[in-house]
Amino acid sequence: MIGARRGWALVNSSMICEVSSAGVPPMGRWARRRVRRRDCEARSRVEGEKYVGLACAMKNAGVGVGIPDTGRVKLIIEEDHKLHIYAGASCIGQGLGTVLVQMVVSSTDLKRGDIVYERSNTWIAPDSGTTSGSRQTLITGEACMRACRKLMEAKTDGKTLADLEGQEFYGEYLAKTDPLGADVPNPISHVAYGYATQMCILDAKTGK
């Protein structure tokens, strides 16, 4: 229950922040009023209960603490009239290739069959940093979405991939953070956090 006592509050499906007494988190994020209300509602559910379990976990995304952390993606329409994804980040089991393909599908009007994910290389794929710190989905993923916006701008007036053969669309995202000990109000140590929280209330009579 340490987290609940200190005021950990859920912000949305991918972020968590520590809320101070003034409602301002020390890492630079404001807690919305509905978040604080939701936190109070959760606490009211456990009042008077004898057997309550609360499990919480959180993980930063990105290198953070002021270290430059940039994701880069290049989308190229090649001779096969398909969109090829190039990102210089190793796909070592975390599913980055799948993530980037899904982001292209969700950010454009393309179908899965129109997309080719190219394995990372140092020849044409832009440097997307290390595959560590749970950073690739957030940081290189955001770069991919930015490249997709440029693609969709080029596809106006009914243009197809065949019409755009040979064109490249580049996306870059810098996850800007503050270094440790930064003398600024509410320093941002990391750009986002993933979280998981589960609460269990045991009925003493039924054991359920």
Side-chain angles (χ1 to χ4, degrees), residues 47-77:
E47 292 181 357
E49 298 290 349
K50 188 175 182 180
Y51 304 103
V52 180
L54 182 65
C56 301
M58 63 177 293
K59 175 66 175 71
N60 64 285
V63 179
V65 296
I67 300 174
D69 199 4
T70 304
R72 303 176 180 90
V73 169
K74 184 184 293 183
L75 306 178
I76 303 178
I77 315 301

Side-chain angles (χ1 to χ4, degrees), residues 1-12:
M1 297 295 289
I2 293 176
R5 289 172 183 168
R6 291 194 62 191
W8 289 104
L10 303 184
V11 176
N12 56 36

Side-chain angles (χ1 to χ4, degrees), residues 99-164:
V99 168
L100 295 180
V101 169
Q102 290 175 335
M103 287 191 169
V104 171
V105 171
S106 62
S107 302
T108 68
D109 57 359
L110 303 183
K111 304 298 183 182
R112 176 61 184 91
D114 300 322
I115 304 165
V116 177
Y117 171 71
E118 299 285 356
R119 294 181 179 180
S120 60
N121 61 74
T122 57
W123 169 59
I124 194 172
D127 183 3
S128 301
T130 61
T131 302
S132 60
S134 302
R135 62 179 294 279
Q136 287 298 343
T137 296
L138 171 65
I139 297 172
T140 301
E142 174 64 25
C144 182
M145 292 176 63
R146 294 184 177 193
C148 286
R149 295 189 192 109
K150 295 178 180 179
L151 167 66
M152 291 307 295
E153 290 176 1
K155 284 181 89 281
T156 56
D157 301 325
K159 289 183 180 178
T160 66
L161 292 180
D163 298 324
L164 301 176

